[in-house]
Amino acid sequence: EKVNQDKDTEKLVEMMENMGLQSALTKKQAGSKYHKLLSRELVDFLRRKDRLSTAGGMMTLTDVYCLFNRARGTNMISPDDLLKAVDMMQELKLGISRREFSSGVVVVQDDEFDDAVMAQKLTEMAEQSMKASESTVGGITATDVSKMLKISALLATEQLRNAEQLGFLCRDTTIEGY
């Protein structure tokens, strides 16, 4: 029976590694260093398989929480532990930090992410839309951005607002849309 238990443990560890976790850290194991170690584990998880860069350099806290806990299986972390770990990332200089938009949306963002670069990308997308429509009507919506960049509609909306605040784009709020 001991041999079967060892095989099961080995299989579980292999599955966790395939999902992006080296080991499932627990509060009991880590003691007072739990949140620091959890921060490092979370950064490793987001960097592995380019999860964060694939998501455009940022992910909502909710998405991070769901993905990370899904990978951890039954050893899930609490929302409070996630917040504490995310808040420590910048202090530990791990290259990822917490950001809150003016609307209140909280994201985990790669420190190399550049708002101006994203705004320029959105400007190019809007210009391509104008050329494709062959009229004065054109532009992009949050849904368009979400599809093209493979990010959530919520983040797409925030990126468009940010590009507008930086002066790269303007918003059309008329009924006609032009």
Side-chain angles (χ1 to χ4, degrees):
E1 190 171 304
K2 176 77 170 154
V3 173
N4 285 342
Q5 197 173 26
D6 288 344
K7 285 182 181 179
D8 288 345
T9 302
E10 188 176 307
K11 190 174 181 179
L12 179 64
V13 168
E14 183 181 330
M15 286 173 39
M16 288 175 63
E17 285 176 355
N18 287 337
M19 288 188 283
L21 293 175
Q22 295 297 326
S23 67
L25 178 72
T26 64
K27 279 186 180 182
K28 190 175 183 179
Q29 291 171 325
S32 63
K33 295 180 182 178
Y34 177 68
H35 292 105
K36 277 186 181 180
L37 294 172
L38 186 60
S39 288
R40 294 179 192 285
E41 185 178 318
L42 190 55
V43 167
D44 288 344
F45 174 78
L46 292 171
R47 295 245 186 255
R48 193 171 291 112
K49 296 183 182 179
D50 292 326
R51 284 181 179 93
L52 195 59
S53 59
T54 302
M58 68 173 60
M59 294 173 81
T60 64
L61 214 49
T62 307
D63 290 341
V64 171
Y65 178 75
C66 292
L67 284 173
F68 191 62
N69 273 333
R70 184 183 309 153
R72 287 177 67 98
T74 59
N75 187 18
M76 294 187 271
I77 63 169
S78 71
D80 286 338
D81 287 338
L82 177 69
L83 283 172
K84 287 176 185 173
V86 167
D87 287 341
M88 286 189 132
M89 287 177 183
Q90 193 167 13
E91 177 186 321
L92 296 171
K93 295 181 173 69
L94 299 176
I96 295 176
S97 53
R98 178 182 192 260
R99 175 180 180 182
E100 187 169 345
F101 287 98
S102 57
S103 66
V105 174
V106 180
V107 297
V108 173
Q109 177 178 303
D110 190 322
D111 290 346
E112 304 228 342
F113 180 84
D114 188 340
D115 286 330
V117 170
M118 178 57 80
Q120 183 60 45
K121 191 174 195 174
L122 294 173
T123 302
E124 290 167 9
M125 289 167 60
E127 289 170 351
Q128 289 172 355
S129 173
M130 291 286 287
K131 288 177 187 172
S133 69
E134 295 182 14
S135 72
T136 58
V137 179
I140 53 175
T141 65
T143 305
D144 297 333
V145 173
S146 177
K147 288 178 186 174
M148 288 187 254
L149 298 180
K150 296 181 175 86
I151 60 175
S152 70
L154 182 65
L155 282 181
T157 301
E158 291 301 330
Q159 293 300 347
L160 286 168
R161 282 186 185 144
N162 198 41
E164 181 183 10
Q165 288 172 347
L166 292 172
F168 283 81
L169 296 174
C170 65
R171 185 186 328 205
D172 184 352
T173 57
T174 62
I175 295 173
E176 295 85 12
Y178 58 93

